[in-house]
Amino acid sequence: MINSQPSAPFTSQQSLAPKLTGFRYIPRWIGGAMCYMVFGLGGLLSSLTILPVLRYWPGSKQARTARVQRTVSLMFKGFVAMLTAVGVINVSTKNLHLLQQAQGHIVIANHPTLVDVVVLISLMPNAGCIVKQSLWRNPFIRGVLSSVGYIPNRSANLLLQDCKQVLNNATNLVIFPEGTRTLVGNVINPFARGAANIAIRTQSDILPVVLRTDVAGLTKQEPWYQIPRQTINMSVEIADSVLHHDDEITQGNEAKMARQLTRDLQQFYLNSLSIPIDSHTDKKRK
């Protein structure tokens, strides 16, 4: 079971940001669009310059991967800082040290916005994730994806082998059990069993992260260029306990255990997200 103390409710001191209309919204839209442009161009340039250099810099494979992961985390931190500066998002954290100290964990989170993975990786110096297979056929970024410890979403057996290797190298694997961003009106989308299957079959620990937002924005139903008119306050809350793998796993009962674990995780998030955005923070980005 996952034990986590309920979060304090959203307080009046954290009132909702004003909703921009008319000409007041134009600077917000321009600023947000420029952030995306800088992020895209920066990603392309870094994949052709600094990241290949770090990939081939002397050292063990694990050391090279760690260097690239830290660099990507810093780049994502810069992107989040830009979004904060133009008023798109404001990130606060709870129990951040648990996330930054984690090694070889499966980090799961709900998925309310477009920038969730960027926010999470910006807070972790050693993060990897599973990316769609088509990106690995791109000759410009395939080497970078490999060097940063990301995994192609391919056949189940090969995927599990890749996940086990990455986790054994102290990289945390970020997974969104919902599979896609939460639909507006839902607390969460139904969880798929992928994260539970990987945790059980690789005997890895799960570190749950709860992402709370006070207003809807950057959702599945909105195009990327629909910049939010209200600043999205996002609270990144790391559970104060880790779900450890079961040492008594026996061959043949993995599927049953994965179903039960998925139900437990889904219920944990339903319970956690029934309380509004947390007012207690370790750190607030301004």
Side-chain angles (χ1 to χ4, degrees):
M1 296 294 292
I2 304 174
N3 297 315
S4 181
Q5 294 297 321
S7 302
F10 184 72
T11 66
S12 58
Q13 295 178 345
Q14 291 179 293
S15 56
L16 298 178
K19 189 172 184 177
L20 303 180
T21 58
F23 288 109
R24 296 174 59 208
Y25 173 63
I26 294 176
R28 167 72 57 79
W29 189 92
I30 293 174
M34 289 184 64
C35 286
Y36 288 130
M37 290 175 61
V38 170
F39 182 74
L41 290 174
L44 176 61
L45 290 175
S46 62
S47 67
L48 298 174
T49 55
I50 185 172
L51 294 184
V53 172
L54 293 174
R55 179 189 179 197
Y56 293 110
W57 199 262
S60 66
K61 181 179 179 180
Q62 186 170 351
R64 295 196 303 269
T65 298
R67 281 199 297 263
V68 178
Q69 288 174 350
R70 287 194 297 269
T71 302
V72 170
S73 179
L74 288 172
M75 291 168 56
F76 283 11
K77 193 184 297 289
F79 179 59
V80 174
M82 288 190 296
L83 291 175
T84 301
V86 300
V88 173
I89 195 168
N90 188 38
V91 178
S92 60
T93 62
K94 179 181 179 182
N95 294 333
L96 179 59
H97 65 284
L98 297 177
L99 188 62
Q100 295 182 328
Q101 294 171 2
Q103 292 188 343
H105 286 48
I106 295 175
V107 176
I108 66 168
N110 55 307
H111 201 355
T113 79
L114 176 66
V115 296
D116 297 335
V117 68
V118 176
V119 170
L120 286 176
I121 293 179
S122 76
L123 298 173
M124 282 187 289
N126 56 335
C129 58
I130 300 171
V131 299
K132 56 186 179 181
Q133 180 74 27
S134 60
L135 291 177
W136 286 78
R137 292 192 288 268
N138 187 321
F140 294 103
I141 64 174
R142 178 173 181 170
V144 174
L145 292 175
S146 176
S147 64
V148 81
Y150 291 177
I151 298 171
N153 188 7
R154 46 186 182 167
S155 66
N157 289 335
L158 292 174
L159 178 63
L160 283 172
Q161 291 176 18
D162 290 339
C163 289
K164 189 169 186 177
Q165 181 179 0
V166 166
L167 292 163
N168 287 342
N169 288 333
T171 292
N172 297 311
L173 192 58
V174 179
I175 298 178
F176 297 100
E178 293 177 85
T180 187
R181 278 171 281 168
T182 309
L183 295 175
V184 175
N186 291 356
V187 178
I188 53 173
N189 298 327
F191 277 17
R193 293 198 295 269
N197 270 315
I198 293 171
I200 289 171
R201 295 173 191 272
T202 64
Q203 297 192 345
S204 300
D205 297 337
I206 294 177
L207 182 61
V209 177
V210 178
L211 303 179
R212 302 179 200 274
T213 56
D214 59 349
V215 295
L218 303 175
T219 63
K220 180 70 172 177
Q221 290 94 323
E222 298 172 336
W224 66 267
Y225 52 82
Q226 189 170 331
I227 308 300
R229 293 177 179 269
Q230 289 177 279
T231 299
I232 301 171
N233 289 303
M234 176 183 287
S235 177
V236 182
E237 302 171 17
I238 296 85
D240 55 12
S241 63
V242 176
L243 184 63
H244 298 282
H245 69 79
D246 192 335
D247 291 327
E248 298 181 357
I249 296 173
T250 57
Q251 187 175 6
N253 72 343
E254 295 97 335
K256 179 179 179 181
M257 295 184 67
R259 287 194 297 270
Q260 183 60 52
L261 178 54
T262 301
R263 286 194 292 266
D264 290 344
L265 291 171
Q266 182 168 304
Q267 190 60 50
F268 166 77
Y269 276 90
L270 287 171
N271 293 341
S272 298
L273 292 167
S274 65
I275 302 171
I277 188 170
D278 196 348
S279 63
H280 174 78
T281 60
D282 296 331
K283 173 183 176 183
K284 192 169 184 177
R285 299 169 184 254
K286 295 184 178 179

